[in-house]
Structures are given as C-alpha cells and as structure tokens.
Amino acid sequence: QVQLVESGGGTVQPGGSLSLSCAASGYMFSSYSMAWFRQSPGKERDFVAAISRSWSRSYADSVKGRFTISRDNAKNTTYLQMNSLKPEDTAVYSCAANRANVPSTATSMYNYWGQGTQVTVSS
C-alpha cells in the first residue's frame, strides 16, 4: 500500500522559514520523481517544486530562490525547505510521486498523493 505522509507545516511570520518532509512507503521511492504542490481555499492546486530520480529539479517562478527541494533515498523522504516566506505562500502543501524520470510541473503526471500539511504565513 502506497503512502505519502507530509509533516512540518505550521504557522510562521513573514520572512520566516519552515521545512516540510514527505515520508514515502509501499513503492520503490528511488525510482520515482517527487514533487510538492499547494492549494489555497477556492483556488486550483499549483505546482511548487519537483525533483526527478536523477536529481533534476524544477521550481515555480514564485518560489525560485526561496524554496529548495531535496530527497534522501536512504530515508524514502522528500524535503521542501522554505525560506523568506510570504503571506501568499499560505496553503495546504502536498507531496506527490511520479513514475517518470522527469521533474514534471503537471498534476496529471503524478500517480500518488499525500493528504497535505497546512502552512500559514501571518503576522
């Protein structure tokens, strides 16, 4: 049974940092590309960052230079380090897994999804 479990969300002030984790189980983690998406109330799910199994990365323009995606295949975990957070980064952040070796930005490419973790940026 495939599971993706996110953790690390919370409330932070503007300019602060958070680190999200996504623990995977039930499939060969190292063979999949991983990504983070986010969704705010009343809005569509948006791409944030992705990393392929060969460590190619892609980022949404809105987070470039502030967020960093990484993976630890030994721990079956993907991370999202978020710095210089802004109120507009407030959303539920979900991780996803993709069988192709491509850091795709498209939700349709992803086979497995986690439930998400809330990130709130507010003073």
Side-chain angles (χ1 to χ4, degrees):
Q1 180 182 357
V2 174
Q3 278 194 313
L4 298 175
V5 180
E6 301 93 340
S7 61
T11 300
V12 64
Q13 292 187 342
S17 299
L18 278 176
S19 181
L20 305 183
S21 299
C22 171
S25 62
Y27 71 100
M28 191 172 290
F29 177 80
S30 60
S31 297
Y32 280 64
S33 299
M34 299 297 296
W36 289 93
F37 290 80
R38 65 187 182 186
Q39 188 169 22
S40 303
K43 295 186 178 180
E44 292 188 354
R45 181 177 282 170
D46 290 332
F47 169 76
V48 176
I51 184 167
S52 72
R53 60 177 184 248
S54 57
W55 289 76
S56 295
R57 293 177 175 89
S58 59
Y59 293 95
D61 288 342
S62 59
V63 308
K64 279 180 182 176
R66 300 189 298 124
F67 291 11
T68 302
I69 188 170
S70 61
R71 63 188 299 159
D72 185 336
N73 289 342
K75 295 183 177 179
N76 288 355
T77 300
T78 302
Y79 304 96
L80 185 69
Q81 177 64 41
M82 304 185 295
N83 299 327
S84 302
L85 282 161
K86 305 175 182 179
E88 52 263 43
D89 294 319
T90 295
V92 174
Y93 284 70
S94 300
C95 65
N98 160 20
R99 291 191 188 96
N101 189 23
V102 176
S104 176
T105 65
T107 57
S108 60
M109 285 290 292
Y110 289 86
N111 309 103
Y112 306 122
W113 292 84
Q115 292 296 311
T117 185
Q118 177 70 46
V119 171
T120 302
V121 185
S122 174
S123 55

